Amino acid sequence: MGNSRQKDVAGKIKYIVIPGDVVDGIGIYPQQDKELSIVDVYRQYEALADQLSLIPDHISMIIQPGNHDAVRPAEPQPTFEKEIQDLFSGMNMTFVGNPCYFSLHGVEVLSYHGQSLLDYATNIQHLKYNEPVETMKVMLRKHHLAPTYGGYTPLAPEHFDYMVINRIPDIFVTGHVHLAQISDYRGITLINASSWQTQTSYQKMLNFIPDSGKLPIVNLKSGNVTMMDFSKKF
Ligand SMILES: [Fe+2]
């Protein structure tokens, strides 16, 4: 499917990173159940597994929870329970927590779902919720993913602070805010990874227009990042 560039790029994809909110969940925002066609969270994961099973086996998927997923809400979030992982059995999939460092072909990735983007935007005057990559630069400067206790981001009181950025990644990925942005900070590639959901009525009420259906693609050899736009298909 797709045009010649899309076919060419699709043939070279080796990894797909899904940084959280892999399903819509239940009871995440007011009246959400009225918008859901699947109101059982396990059936939502089954529907996702059906979609992801269409992805060829040679592509490794890395999947991370976010605030809509069926894991504990407090960050750092552990990965999905066995009952959910089993729904993806036989697939080329690695389940990780949130946040997580991992390495793809020697390229260090820090993947964080990004709930604290809103805390940063609320507490630091020049930051805006609709410019997540600018907030990501501040996160890197502060060496911390979620320094605000008692805000939007629930934090678990761990003995070790897993939200500290103690390794400099090559790529820093977030999601959560349903925008699609690419930037760079001192040689670190910054990606906010869009969403695959059009505007919900909750977002409409907040007058928020999501930037849906965009796929950021990184060339791991050159470091080049491009955005492929699938939004016309919606
Ligand atoms: Fe989220």
Side-chain angles (χ1 to χ4, degrees):
M1 286 172 68
N3 61 36
S4 60
R5 185 201 158 223
Q6 287 171 334
K7 283 180 192 164
D8 181 50
V9 172
K12 291 176 184 158
I13 297 285
K14 293 276 180 287
Y15 305 96
I16 295 179
V17 177
I18 310 177
D21 288 353
V22 303
V23 296
D24 211 53
I26 309 277
I28 308 296
Y29 58 85
Q31 311 282 323
Q32 184 194 16
D33 54 322
K34 296 205 167 58
E35 303 202 5
L36 296 172
S37 51
I38 306 172
V39 291
D40 178 317
V41 78
Y42 290 98
R43 301 292 87 78
Q44 291 180 8
Y45 285 103
E46 274 175 13
L48 175 70
D50 282 347
Q51 293 294 312
L52 295 182
S53 68
L54 301 172
I55 290 172
D57 290 341
H58 68 269
I59 298 176
S60 302
M61 289 179 271
I62 295 101
I63 185 167
Q64 175 180 59
N67 57 303
H68 283 244
D69 285 294
V71 304
R72 77 166 185 198
E75 297 179 6
Q77 293 179 293
T79 198
F80 303 89
E81 63 186 40
K82 189 178 177 297
E83 207 171 340
I84 291 171
Q85 291 193 23
D86 286 348
L87 300 173
F88 299 84
S89 62
M91 293 168 63
N92 186 357
M93 186 168 285
T94 304
F95 297 90
V96 301
N98 172 42
C100 186
Y101 283 96
F102 48 86
S103 174
L104 305 177
H105 257 74
V107 176
E108 276 276 295
V109 181
L110 168 59
S111 188
Y112 170 52
H113 176 63
Q115 196 167 12
S116 72
L117 288 167
L118 294 181
D119 283 310
Y120 266 99
T122 309
N123 291 303
I124 299 181
Q125 210 167 15
H126 71 277
L127 295 176
K128 301 188 186 92
Y129 72 96
N130 58 356
E131 289 177 357
V133 290
E134 295 307 310
T135 302
M136 292 165 76
K137 291 174 190 175
V138 178
M139 287 178 177
L140 289 168
R141 281 204 289 273
K142 305 282 182 202
H143 286 257
H144 207 288
L145 293 167
T148 309
Y149 199 86
Y152 293 106
T153 313
L155 290 165
E158 303 279 347
H159 289 290
F160 180 87
D161 190 348
Y162 294 94
M163 308 310 285
V164 169
I165 301 173
N166 54 8
R167 283 153 65 183
I168 308 298
D170 298 305
I171 302 173
F172 179 22
V173 180
T174 60
H176 189 59
V177 290
H178 294 220
L179 295 168
Q181 290 177 7
I182 296 167
S183 190
D184 177 275
Y185 177 70
R186 296 193 169 197
I188 303 168
T189 299
L190 310 178
I191 297 171
N192 185 262
S194 189
S195 78
W196 295 88
Q197 182 183 54
T198 49
Q199 192 185 44
T200 62
S201 60
Y202 181 62
Q203 289 171 339
K204 202 169 186 173
M205 188 183 78
L206 299 174
N207 203 20
F208 175 78
I209 299 163
D211 201 0
S212 311
K214 308 250 172 92
L215 180 69
I217 299 169
V218 184
N219 181 325
L220 291 174
K221 264 191 201 150
S222 66
N224 218 22
V225 197
T226 52
M227 195 78 84
M228 197 176 275
D229 187 356
F230 292 89
S231 62
K232 308 284 185 301
K233 294 253 181 348
F234 287 146

